Amino acid sequence: MKLEKKVLNGYIPKHIAIIMDGNGRWAKKRHMPRTYGHKKGSENLKNIALECKGLGVKVLSVYAFSTENWQRPKKEVDYLMTLPGEFEASFKGQFEKEDIRVVFSGRRDRFPKKVQDLIKRVEEKTENRTGMTLNICFDYGSYTEITNAVQEIALDVKNNDLNISAITPDVISNHLYTKDLPKLDLLIRTSGELRLSNFFLWQVSYSELYFAKKHWPAFNKKALLLAIEDFQNRKRRYGGLKEKKS
Ligand code: IPE
Ligand code: IPE
Ligand code: MG
């Protein structure tokens, strides 16, 4: 495939994040319930994660459930809570073969016990894998993430473990869920919405943004390659005058 070859000849972003939006609209267009869109969306996550691994991406972060998504009808939330289980069952063999580590970012205290156990189990089982990291942002919100960081840092100051003058951007980064992950190169949002919806507000400071029209269940390999190709044509200057190759 020509496009794939072209993309592989360029710089492959180390860390891609995707706001996987549009499951409901995708299902509605097919006269199906929103939950069907979520099911297809979850299946697509597995495919796109494997495609990213194949291209040499090091980290894929995905926004799967926001701190605000609890406001949705209980039936929809209950269904979304079953998806990590389905996902675990479906990715087992292939993710092991591809050496994919899975981590979760977000609050953990509001999930049913079953989901909390699953997160722990999956993270422990995959922690030594080095092929790619899939970071699933589940009950994730930037306001909560940054607020937690402020509280932890304030506690260090209160306990005399940290001077106020020693609080740097790096210190703040090191208190975020993403502390062990490389800087975000490319953020993709599917489904045409031009907003961040409380996702990665700190992390996107110098990321390239890409908005795709396709709804998440329809976002396929070609769409991913087009996003990376677009990224490869950007000139990242980080406030300077010269382009800096990442
Ligand atoms: C994204 O799809 C999945 C979640 C937010 C859980 P949506 O459910 O937001 O689908 P739309 O945006 O209503 O089409
Ligand atoms: C953002 O999508 C959250 C996820 C994709 C998980 P939403 O559908 O919740 O965002 P809004 O409501 O359109 O801003
Ligand atoms: Mg949405």
Side-chain angles (χ1 to χ4, degrees):
M1 196 213 243
K2 241 172 107 195
L3 178 59
E4 181 170 8
K5 238 183 152 172
K6 185 170 172 240
V7 163
L8 282 169
N9 276 331
Y11 174 82
I12 298 293
K14 274 197 190 67
H15 186 177
I16 298 180
I18 306 180
I19 301 176
M20 306 185 294
D21 195 21
N23 292 347
R25 279 165 280 172
W26 182 89
K28 195 171 174 206
K29 256 175 65 185
R30 284 157 184 79
H31 310 287
M32 295 295 280
R34 294 179 56 84
T35 47
Y36 180 69
H38 294 315
K39 182 175 153 56
K40 288 291 170 193
S42 166
E43 288 169 15
N44 197 40
L45 170 55
K46 182 185 159 194
N47 294 337
I48 292 296
L50 291 168
E51 294 298 352
C52 283
K53 164 69 199 336
L55 292 168
V57 173
K58 284 289 151 211
V59 179
L60 173 65
S61 290
V62 291
Y63 202 12
F65 190 86
S66 77
T67 47
E68 288 74 33
N69 286 148
W70 294 103
Q71 299 167 45
R72 294 189 179 191
K74 185 173 182 305
K75 241 180 84 183
E76 181 168 345
V77 171
D78 286 348
Y79 183 77
L80 288 165
M81 289 301 136
T82 68
L83 288 177
E86 284 204 18
F87 191 70
E88 185 193 22
S90 80
F91 73 51
K92 257 181 186 153
Q94 251 170 317
F95 270 42
E96 194 170 346
K97 208 175 107 217
E98 299 295 333
D99 209 26
I100 297 177
R101 176 171 75 129
V102 180
V103 297
F104 286 80
S105 292
R107 283 181 66 163
R108 303 203 169 176
D109 55 305
R110 299 195 282 191
F111 295 135
K113 170 99 175 36
K114 230 175 129 174
V115 174
Q116 290 179 359
D117 291 347
L118 180 145
I119 289 177
K120 224 173 139 239
R121 181 169 70 239
V122 169
E123 286 193 333
E124 280 172 12
K125 192 173 164 217
T126 66
E127 72 183 341
N128 294 320
R129 298 188 188 164
T130 56
M132 184 183 84
T133 296
L134 174 62
N135 172 33
I136 302 179
C137 300
F138 206 60
D139 202 5
Y140 172 91
S142 285
Y143 286 163
T144 301
E145 179 182 42
I146 294 170
T147 304
N148 284 346
V150 171
Q151 288 174 345
E152 286 173 19
I153 293 168
L155 192 65
D156 285 348
V157 171
K158 187 177 164 216
N159 293 337
N160 291 320
D161 290 330
L162 186 68
N163 271 324
I164 286 184
S165 59
I167 302 173
T168 61
D170 278 345
V171 170
I172 296 172
S173 292
N174 283 331
H175 281 85
L176 302 178
Y177 301 124
T178 47
K179 60 176 178 290
D180 298 322
L181 305 178
K183 282 216 162 70
L184 183 66
D185 290 313
L186 170 62
L187 173 75
I188 300 169
R189 181 169 186 148
T190 62
S191 213
E193 269 1 303
L194 305 179
R195 58 175 169 262
L196 298 178
S197 304
N198 199 14
F199 184 61
F200 273 13
L201 300 186
W202 175 276
Q203 291 85 346
V204 295
S205 56
Y206 269 107
S207 310
E208 296 300 322
L209 309 180
Y210 183 89
F211 297 94
K213 288 252 156 49
K214 276 188 190 303
H215 298 309
W216 171 247
F219 188 86
N220 53 16
K221 180 177 185 177
K222 170 132 192 259
L224 173 70
L225 289 170
L226 286 171
I228 300 177
E229 184 194 34
D230 199 85
F231 165 85
Q232 290 174 337
N233 289 328
R234 309 274 179 98
K235 295 202 178 354
R236 304 179 80 186
R237 287 183 291 269
Y238 298 91
L241 296 181
K242 274 199 237 111
E243 182 185 358
K244 280 190 197 141
K245 287 278 175 208
S246 1

